[in-house]
Structure formats: C-alpha cells, structure tokens
Amino acid sequence: MSTTAEPERRDVLVCIKRTPAVGARIALTDDGLAIDTRHLGFTMGPHEECAVEEAVRIAESHRAAGGTARVTVLTVGPPDAAEQLRYAISMGADEGVLVEVPTEELDPEPTAASILAGLRSAPDTRYDLLLFGTDSAVAGNAQAGIRVACALGLPMVAGVKGIRFDDSGLELRRGTPAGIEIYRVPLPAAVGVKEGINVPRYPAVTGRMRARKAPLRTVPGEPAAGGLRTVALRRPREDRPETVVLGSGAAAAPAVVDVLAELGVV
C-alpha cells in the first residue's frame, strides 16, 4: 500500500453491500429465515453510499492538487450485485470488483475472507485507504471492516464522520454523547464511515452512461463457512394509529374541548 512518502498517488478502496431497498412493510419468506425480496429493488446501504461519496471527494481533491487518484469499489455477492458496483461508478468511482458468492447473506467471517480474496486477486495494487460502512443496513454486525483491518495489520476507526489528510496520515473525527473524538492514524488505514459525513451526489447522465460500459473484474469468493446461523427473523411490532370518532355536529363540542385540554391547548 502506498504511503505518505508518495503524495503524487492516492488509491482508495470502498467496500459496499447490496441490500434491499425497503420503503414499505417488510415481508418475510414462508420459513421466516430471510426477507422476501421478490417485489423489492436493491441498493447499497446508506453508510456505504456515504463512503463512496467520500472516496470520490478525496480523489477529486487530490487530483485538483496535482496528484493522481483512483477509487475502486468492491462488493461480495451474487452476479446481480454488479448493479450496485455500476451505481458507485456512476457516482465517480473508477472501477468495480465483484467477489462472487451465491448469496448476499454471509456472516462477517466469510464476508471478510471474500474481501481479502478480492484484494489478493490484484497483488500489485496497494491502497492508501480502505473505506467501509460502519455497519450494514441488513445485519448491522459491524465486523467485516474490523476483520479485514486486523488481517492486514491496519489501524481501524469506525463511526467516523470526518476525514482529513495531513502530513502524518489521517485525522478522523467521531461523534460521541460526550462530544467529538479525534484520532490520528498513519497510512495505510481502514475507516468505518457513518451516514452524515456528507451528502451523496445524484449521478449525472454522463456518469450513468460511463458506468453502463465500465468493465467489472470478477473474483471467486472465499468458501469459508462462518460461525453464525439464522434461527428466525421477526418483524417489529407495528404501532398503528387509532382513530376515535368524537361525535358529529354540536354534540361533539364537549369531547373536542376535553381533547384540547389534555393537549394543553386550552
């Protein structure tokens, strides 16, 4: 991985996850072990989308300063996950890597192993910065990035909402209930990005056209078994608003006054 001694080049890898675009009531499969995605579209998680945007901004800033930069986006999933890679390219990423596995629903251990397989498939490429979403929108395990960083011997900070490069490496900011924490880490490093670090751009038409034709590199995933097993999924309790008819005409006036009094309006 390149270091701060090579300021003319900056390579960033962003790991994203294909997730169902849930905007309505979630349906489960008959066995209760998975989300029924037959009538759902797919997207990337909000943390990962912010990570892609941050990587593109880092590359744009570095190029504006006279250097060269490259943003690679990697995902672990089935062939359909190429859709999310192309969307990231339409946002400004340069290339996509699909680590192909039969399903998106891997636990953190095989996910991290497959990401590492993707990195090993390009041994001549060295990344200054690896960006992850702090956790996935589906499982929320918050482990894949940490496992990859540990395997590579990289410093890792998650929950980050501010990234700045300086002479010594990175300055990272993370919000806590007590205030702002500031970390300084050397490069190369891994960072878990949190939604809110930026506002992701909407891809332009030119970006979408470029992404449609962009070649994707496909790598076989790591057939690790993992240690987690889904026992059952359960929808959260739904609190539905209840409508109470207070009456009609003048007869409803006392009940309306009582409600207003309860609300402190009168």
Side-chain angles (χ1 to χ4, degrees):
M1 300 185 183
S2 51
T3 67
T4 52
E6 301 172 304
E8 70 280 359
R9 182 172 181 85
R10 183 159 291 158
D11 290 327
V12 183
L13 175 75
V14 189
C15 293
I16 65 175
K17 180 176 175 63
R18 173 179 167 88
T19 62
V22 179
R25 189 171 184 267
I26 297 174
L28 301 180
T29 55
D30 292 338
D31 59 8
L33 296 178
I35 296 174
D36 187 347
T37 60
R38 289 176 296 176
H39 305 295
L40 294 177
F42 283 83
T43 183
M44 70 178 84
H47 298 313
E48 288 106 353
E49 188 174 7
C50 286
V52 173
E53 174 65 28
E54 194 66 17
V56 172
R57 292 187 185 191
I58 288 170
E60 290 174 343
S61 176
H62 197 65
R63 290 166 186 152
T68 60
R70 190 164 187 82
V71 176
T72 301
V73 182
L74 180 149
T75 192
V76 177
D80 288 344
E83 175 189 359
Q84 281 62 54
L85 291 176
R86 294 196 185 280
Y87 186 84
I89 292 173
S90 73
M91 291 175 65
D94 298 291
E95 63 179 352
V97 179
L98 173 61
V99 184
E100 194 169 319
V101 296
T103 175
E104 304 98 339
E105 298 309 314
L106 298 178
D107 74 41
E109 186 177 351
T111 297
S114 292
I115 292 172
L116 292 167
L119 294 175
R120 289 194 298 269
S121 69
D124 296 331
T125 303
R126 299 292 181 266
Y127 297 103
D128 301 281
L129 181 61
L130 276 64
L131 295 181
F132 301 84
T134 287
D135 53 19
S136 72
V138 176
N141 290 311
Q143 289 188 35
I146 296 172
R147 287 174 178 271
V148 171
C150 287
L152 297 175
L154 301 180
M156 169 81 183
V157 180
V160 170
K161 295 187 75 171
I163 299 176
R164 187 177 70 85
F165 286 83
D166 57 30
D167 292 339
S168 61
L170 288 177
E171 179 185 280
L172 306 173
R173 292 177 174 265
R174 181 172 72 177
T176 71
I180 302 296
E181 294 179 347
I182 299 176
Y183 296 83
R184 288 187 171 85
V185 298
L187 294 175
V191 175
V193 170
K194 192 170 184 179
E195 183 183 11
I197 190 175
N198 54 47
V199 178
R201 69 193 67 192
Y202 187 79
V205 174
T206 53
R208 291 183 180 275
M209 293 177 63
R210 180 174 68 89
R212 189 181 304 170
K213 299 178 181 179
L216 302 178
R217 184 159 54 88
T218 302
V219 178
E222 186 69 29
L228 298 179
R229 180 173 61 89
T230 299
V231 176
L233 296 178
R234 183 178 59 188
R235 285 193 300 269
R237 188 184 68 180
E238 298 180 10
D239 295 327
R240 297 183 178 181
E242 182 180 354
T243 301
V244 177
V245 179
L246 299 177
S248 61
V256 171
V257 173
D258 291 341
V259 171
L260 294 177
E262 290 178 9
L263 296 174
V265 177
V266 297

